[in-house]
Amino acid sequence: MATMKDIARLAGVSTSTVSHVINKSRFVSEEIAARVNRAAQELNYAPSALARSLKVNRTQTIGMLVTTSTNPFFGEVVKGVERSCYQKGYNLILCNTEGDNERMKASIDTLLQKRVDGLLLMCSTLEGERIEVFDRYPDIPVVVMDWGPMSFASDKIQDNSYQGGYLAAQYLIQSGHREIGCITGPLVRHQAQIRYEGYKRAMNEAGLPIPPDWIVESDFECDGGYRAFQQICASGHLPTALFVCNDMMAMGVIHAAHEQGIRIPDDLSIIGYDDIHIAKFMTPSLTTIHQPKYRLGQAAVETLLKRINKEITDTQVVQLEPTLVKRRSVKEISE
Ligand code: RIB
């Protein structure tokens, strides 16, 4: 395989001139650049990203950790990340953690050994965790997405889930519902906590009770929503509406309700959270709170690249605002 030295010999220039032409790292006259490019073409030269990264101390690669690929929420965020990386000339290495702490730490270590230029972390096991490997890479730029307090320095991009939970409950109240339950995500997670707090704020403002039988903590997964709804049914008295704190659990709830002959929305209204792509194709189409997932991904890449290029110094916290998406799973009821 041809090297820069072979090109230099054929073009009659120095190896460093060849490097500047190929890496576009310094001005070279058109005549010399043309000679070098002709020689490279003649020798079928294939640039080595590895060699370039060693020279410029950059790999043009970003590492990203997500909790899982089964929840479309992550796929839609990653779509924004991938497109932004492509547009800005960066590669992306994506790792799943499946909620496994050791797997998360091992993946971070591997990505840092591969000398990624920065990390995007959207994995729930991070909250409150001390990540020892960061001690060995104190200057690695890190952007955390979608989760709560971190024990290490990072920029944050997050959804305003407190406002989102409030919007969801407020819409059910404005639709005439007075008996409203909530199926939460794992309350050890910041986003799940504040979504639930937003629901409670709306209920308290309206002077509505929050019966414990209608509040079930679940796990943000379809099966979790299915089981949580069965638990609410076992209480013997159904509310007229449920705020389900993500669309995956809402799908589980709707399936469980269907199995029990409970009609959505005639017998029970449901509002979800995330507005994943399939929400509008469910039957009935899911009323939900839209998280700006694609924008979340874009903003994370933009912030990380600013950090990599040392264009920012202060810690950044970018908060994106959720919006209500009305579809057909909520019934308006008169007093
Ligand atoms: O990770 C599960 C959930 O957390 C997603 O559905 C999204 O709501 C995120 O905030």
Side-chain angles (χ1 to χ4, degrees):
M1 183 180 285
T3 65
M4 285 194 181
K5 199 173 283 184
D6 302 326
I7 297 170
R9 194 176 303 115
L10 183 60
V13 299
S14 68
T15 309
S16 66
T17 298
V18 172
S19 171
H20 288 314
V21 171
I22 286 171
N23 292 316
K24 299 182 175 55
S25 50
R26 189 188 297 172
F27 173 76
V28 175
S29 73
E30 270 187 39
E31 188 270 332
I32 289 178
R35 259 169 47 203
V36 168
N37 287 323
R38 269 197 309 275
Q41 200 165 9
E42 198 173 314
L43 294 170
N44 290 320
Y45 172 72
S48 158
L50 180 60
R52 184 177 191 287
S53 65
L54 292 173
K55 184 170 180 58
V56 299
N57 197 25
R58 284 281 182 87
T59 57
Q60 297 295 112
T61 303
I62 287 172
M64 182 173 186
L65 273 74
V66 294
T67 304
T68 172
S69 299
T70 52
N71 182 341
F73 166 80
F74 293 100
E76 294 175 40
V77 172
V78 168
K79 182 179 174 182
V81 169
E82 281 179 320
R83 188 169 295 177
S84 294
C85 285
Y86 176 74
Q87 288 166 344
K88 297 180 189 302
Y90 271 78
N91 302 302
L92 180 72
I93 302 177
L94 185 62
C95 303
N96 268 348
T97 63
E98 299 294 345
D100 177 334
N101 217 331
E102 290 317 309
R103 185 167 163 187
M104 174 196 67
K105 292 180 179 178
S107 296
I108 290 176
D109 197 22
T110 303
L111 289 169
L112 294 175
Q113 287 184 37
K114 287 183 178 297
R115 294 295 186 271
V116 293
D117 294 336
L119 285 173
L120 295 175
L121 302 178
M122 189 165 71
C123 43
S124 50
T125 39
L126 268 175
E127 283 192 38
E129 279 296 315
R130 174 165 164 58
I131 312 288
E132 297 78 14
V133 69
F134 284 149
D135 296 341
R136 297 199 299 275
Y137 303 85
D139 302 324
I140 184 74
V142 178
V143 171
V144 168
M145 305 162 74
D146 183 54
W147 291 98
M150 300 296 147
S151 65
F152 51 85
S154 72
D155 297 313
K156 279 178 72 175
I157 315 292
Q158 62 186 29
D159 159 66
N160 183 353
S161 281
Y162 180 72
Q163 175 62 14
Y166 180 80
L167 282 176
Q170 186 187 56
Y171 176 62
L172 294 174
I173 294 164
Q174 289 168 349
S175 300
H177 293 276
R178 295 294 174 267
E179 296 182 342
I180 304 171
C182 183
I183 296 177
T184 77
L187 293 175
V188 67
R189 302 292 176 224
H190 179 71
Q191 294 295 83
Q193 257 173 35
I194 60 177
R195 235 165 260 177
Y196 179 41
E197 290 303 322
Y199 153 83
K200 286 194 287 187
R201 178 185 151 213
M203 295 294 283
N204 293 333
E205 282 181 358
L208 296 174
I210 301 177
D213 282 354
W214 294 345
I215 305 300
V216 178
E217 178 179 0
S218 185
D219 60 2
F220 277 146
E221 300 296 342
C222 294
D223 299 321
Y226 181 94
R227 289 192 302 271
F229 182 68
Q230 287 183 319
Q231 185 178 325
I232 290 174
C233 288
S235 71
H237 175 193
L238 270 184
T240 62
L242 277 176
F243 168 35
V244 187
C245 292
N246 85 336
D247 293 351
M248 294 290 277
M249 293 192 297
M251 278 196 275
V253 170
I254 290 172
H255 184 66
H258 177 74
E259 282 186 340
Q260 299 193 38
I262 296 167
R263 298 167 302 162
I264 309 292
D266 292 344
D267 301 327
L268 174 71
S269 289
I270 301 283
I271 186 167
Y273 201 106
D274 288 340
D275 192 21
I276 55 178
H277 184 66
I278 54 179
K280 57 177 167 287
F281 298 108
M282 291 164 61
T283 302
S285 58
L286 186 64
T287 296
T288 186
I289 300 297
H290 175 84
Q291 272 212 67
K293 298 165 288 300
Y294 185 85
R295 181 75 197 105
L296 195 73
Q298 265 187 330
V301 172
E302 287 163 3
T303 303
L304 187 62
L305 293 188
K306 284 179 184 170
R307 180 68 62 190
I308 290 170
N309 297 321
K310 299 181 178 16
E311 294 166 14
I312 49 177
T313 50
D314 302 336
T315 301
Q316 308 287 306
V317 177
V318 176
Q319 184 150 278
L320 303 174
E321 293 305 320
T323 51
L324 171 64
V325 178
K326 296 178 186 175
R327 296 195 178 101
R328 305 184 66 80
S329 62
V330 172
K331 179 182 174 185
E332 300 216 355
I333 54 178
S334 51
E335 293 288 339

